[in-house]
Amino acid sequence: MSQHTITNQNYIAGVWTTAHSEQTFEVLNPANQGVIAHVPDSDASDASAAVDAACQAFLTWRFVPARKRAQYLKAWHALILANLDTLAGLISLEQGKPLAEAKGEISYAASYVEWFAEQAPRIEGDLIESPVVGRKMMAIKEPVGVTAVITPWNFPAAMITRKIAPALAAGCTVVAKPAEDTPLTSLALVKLAEVAGIPSGVINIVCSSRNNTPAMVNNWLQDSRVRKISFTGSTPVGKHLAQASAATLKKLSLELGGNAPFIVFEDADLDAAVSGLMAAKFRNGGQTCVCPNRVYVQAKVYDEFAAKLVEKVRALKVGPASELDSEIGPMINERAVDKILSHIDDAVQKGARVLVGGNRVRISDGPNYIAPTVLGNVSKNAVLCQEETFGPVAPLFCFDNEQEVIEQANDTPFGLAAYFYSENVSRIWRLASALETGIVGINEGAIAADSAPFGGVKESGYGREGSKYGLDDYLHIKYLCQGNLS
Ligand SMILES: NC(=O)c1ccc[n+]([C@@H]2O[C@H](COP(=O)([O-])OP(=O)(O)OC[C@H]3O[C@@H](n4cnc5c(N)ncnc54)[C@H](O)[C@@H]3O)[C@@H](O)[C@H]2O)c1
Ligand SMILES: O=C[C@H](O)CS(=O)(=O)O
């Protein structure tokens, strides 16, 4: 990735600029800790300038005809696809994602822009039957207003387009803050939005370091002009944002952490279940919110399933994205590696067996590699049952009956995704109803799609992204009642 293709400034009111303080922070390559770029380390003054710009732009953007807004989004979509390889290279560089997966993420990110370009002209209201003569009643939908978009590092393209696209389609304007580990992809996407002709101030993006982010974002939380927050990230931060923004009662979309159960019944197609788990668990090195965090296998097929899984996991290639056959890249940073190793150590201390992996992998490039791991006979008291591991670790639990495994699967504060494999139709409908999650994969491990309502329940948050429901979070309903009509 050559330096000239890297955009490394804030974008406020249509101007690429440094932070007011002129301060910057480093963006590191997780594969080798090399410095990729320096980006602005913004503070409250930059945050406020972004809101000023978004407020000014909202006065006109909200009245741009939906079809025109759709045309801007279609132009952006086309530019994203035309720059797919460059954008994928940025993801691999700053997040470590294997290049093939990074290309898939750019296509996925672009699909949300296309989806909401198609949804924009379909925002409709209702005419309501009046209970009395001489009165007309209707419900119309209007954009919520200036929206703060805060995104995680693990999908630096898809998570930001999954928010900016519906916001713009609805007529909202945006102030965005990408994750400090992976700002470059988001900045490049906003650069393409500028090239697409999206007017100044409609999208504003500011970067801030891990240390400066709380104070910088707090400016948005306290600013009553910011009417909505769309956040994707960890549950603790989501809870903080909800509490800290309560004073100005903002509309919230919270896409938070998960602890997905993956259940294999004795009547499952075991080869399909192994393939489904490989797809769901080891995607992005296990660093996705919908990765199975607990794998429950019914006693009768436990040994056979474990053997099949270990054979597949042992074959996974670990390496940097610069090696095109890498399947498991580096973890995002040292903190992530420490957490994953602590989960493995805790499970082993409580009786689990390492069937494959279980350790760091020293690769010339750097220290952040973990061997793809399968743990056997994991205890229900293992920390990973209550905490998201966010790494390439598949812990196996053995269970006897359906009621037992439903109770174990639901025994978590989280409720984002769950998966199960069974060929029994009646069992499929029982499990689909009993599992306390927003997403259920049934004999399927790959559930992501722009047309699907993505989101969780319990402490995995609320709101839905994508699908025909995805616009609702950026609109509110206004009731009009006209009387004195003859
Ligand atoms: N539900 C989903 O769709 C989804 C998608 C991706 C990731 N996630 C979750 O995100 C987490 C991993 O991503 P992460 O490590 O970037 O999460 P994180 O919560 O640490 O950070 C997410 C974003 O919040 C910002 N942030 C952190 N502390 C903040 C504060 N005090 N005030 C304001 N902003 C703050 C970060 O800079 C980043 O931009 C995991 O829990 C994963 O499950 C959920
Ligand atoms: O990690 C979070 C992403 O939302 C996962 S997905 O790509 O949308 O399935």
Side-chain angles (χ1 to χ4, degrees):
M1 177 63 53
S2 60
Q3 189 65 30
H4 82 277
T5 59
I6 289 180
T7 302
N8 64 342
Q9 292 193 311
N10 290 341
Y11 183 62
I12 299 175
V15 177
W16 293 96
T17 177
T18 61
H20 285 144
S21 67
E22 297 291 331
Q23 294 297 309
T24 63
F25 66 93
E26 292 176 344
V27 182
L28 302 181
N29 179 340
N32 57 23
Q33 306 308 300
V35 177
I36 306 167
H38 292 82
V39 296
D41 196 355
S42 308
D43 60 24
S45 62
D46 303 296
S48 189
V51 175
D52 293 345
C55 286
Q56 185 60 37
F58 181 62
L59 299 177
T60 49
W61 179 252
R62 64 176 301 182
F63 296 118
V64 170
R67 283 197 178 280
K68 179 61 178 169
R69 295 202 299 265
Q71 287 168 4
Y72 283 120
L73 290 173
K74 286 174 183 173
W76 190 23
H77 171 255
L79 285 167
I80 292 170
L81 292 183
N83 291 273
L84 187 144
D85 290 342
T86 300
L87 293 167
L90 268 181
I91 291 178
S92 292
L93 192 61
E94 65 176 353
Q95 197 251 304
K97 193 170 282 172
L99 193 57
E101 281 195 51
K103 290 181 177 179
E105 184 188 341
I106 296 300
S107 298
Y108 179 47
S111 72
Y112 282 109
V113 180
E114 183 180 44
W115 176 267
F116 287 107
E118 296 164 349
Q119 291 292 313
R122 290 166 176 77
I123 298 171
E124 297 174 347
D126 300 293
L127 279 175
I128 300 164
E129 183 61 29
S130 169
V132 298
V133 175
R135 182 182 297 173
K136 287 295 181 187
M137 302 162 60
M138 68 183 76
I140 62 171
K141 292 184 179 177
E142 295 185 328
V144 172
V146 173
T147 298
V149 165
I150 304 167
T151 48
W153 54 262
N154 64 334
F155 285 84
M159 295 304 97
I160 202 163
T161 59
R162 194 157 87 176
K163 296 172 183 302
I164 291 180
L168 270 53
C172 296
T173 54
V174 167
V175 291
K177 190 210 76 71
E180 55 276 7
D181 287 313
T182 57
L184 301 178
T185 307
S186 297
L187 293 172
L189 285 167
V190 171
K191 181 67 179 178
L192 292 178
E194 178 193 28
V195 175
I198 293 175
S200 301
V202 172
I203 303 174
N204 306 275
I205 186 167
V206 293
C207 304
S208 57
S209 63
R210 184 175 173 79
N211 289 337
N212 270 356
T213 285
M216 198 279 286
V217 170
N218 193 55
N219 178 271
W220 291 345
L221 302 178
Q222 304 311 318
D223 191 332
S224 61
R225 298 175 299 167
V226 175
R227 295 310 314 137
K228 175 170 176 66
I229 297 171
S230 184
F231 172 74
T232 295
S234 64
T235 291
V237 176
K239 289 181 176 179
H240 160 71
L241 298 178
Q243 288 168 341
S245 63
T248 53
L249 271 189
K250 301 179 192 321
K251 193 177 177 85
L252 293 175
S253 297
L254 298 177
E255 296 285 352
L256 306 179
N259 194 310
F262 189 104
I263 306 167
V264 182
F265 287 98
E266 60 191 16
D267 55 40
D269 174 338
L270 288 190
D271 290 327
V274 170
S275 297
L277 181 58
M278 293 299 291
K281 174 71 250 188
F282 294 97
R283 179 169 163 242
N284 200 17
Q287 301 170 114
T288 92
C289 58
V290 290
C291 280
N293 213 61
R294 298 165 286 151
V295 182
Y296 297 97
V297 186
Q298 199 158 15
K300 189 175 175 184
V301 296
Y302 180 91
D303 290 340
E304 184 183 0
F305 180 84
K308 288 175 179 284
L309 179 65
V310 165
E311 182 185 357
K312 293 280 190 184
V313 172
R314 198 186 304 279
L316 288 171
K317 182 174 186 300
V318 181
S322 54
E323 294 173 13
L324 296 184
D325 59 347
S326 293
E327 295 168 291
I328 303 292
M331 300 299 102
I332 188 65
N333 54 40
E334 187 71 16
R335 291 190 310 281
V337 170
D338 290 344
K339 178 180 182 183
I340 296 161
L341 293 176
S342 70
H343 279 192
I344 294 172
D345 294 345
D346 170 77
V348 169
Q349 284 171 16
K350 292 172 182 172
R353 289 178 49 236
V354 177
L355 304 183
V356 61
N359 54 282
R360 274 180 191 267
V361 180
R362 290 289 173 194
I363 291 180
S364 56
D365 270 343
N368 289 346
Y369 294 93
I370 299 260
T373 297
V374 179
L375 301 174
N377 296 317
V378 180
S379 162
K380 288 186 290 187
N381 300 318
V383 165
L384 56 78
C385 289
Q386 295 304 320
E387 282 183 12
E388 192 178 33
T389 301
F390 232 59
V393 179
L396 304 184
F397 302 78
C398 187
F399 73 94
D400 293 317
N401 61 65
E402 185 178 301
Q403 192 51 44
E404 170 199 356
V405 75
I406 289 172
E407 289 169 5
Q408 289 183 34
N410 288 333
D411 182 17
T412 167
F414 296 101
L416 185 56
Y419 308 82
F420 67 90
Y421 277 73
S422 168
E423 295 298 315
N424 179 313
V425 172
S426 297
R427 187 196 301 275
I428 283 173
W429 288 109
R430 288 196 302 271
L431 265 287
S433 171
L435 291 169
E436 298 169 353
T437 56
I439 303 167
V440 181
I442 303 169
N443 296 330
E444 180 56 68
I447 46 92
D450 57 328
S451 53
F454 193 102
V457 296
K458 298 180 5 182
E459 297 189 25
S460 289
Y462 42 77
R464 290 295 179 265
E465 297 193 310
S467 81
K468 68 174 185 176
Y469 304 104
L471 273 177
D472 294 347
D473 282 13
Y474 297 89
L475 295 165
H476 56 218
I477 294 171
K478 180 179 282 182
Y479 160 44
L480 305 181
C481 181
Q482 181 177 6
N484 198 30
L485 297 170
S486 55

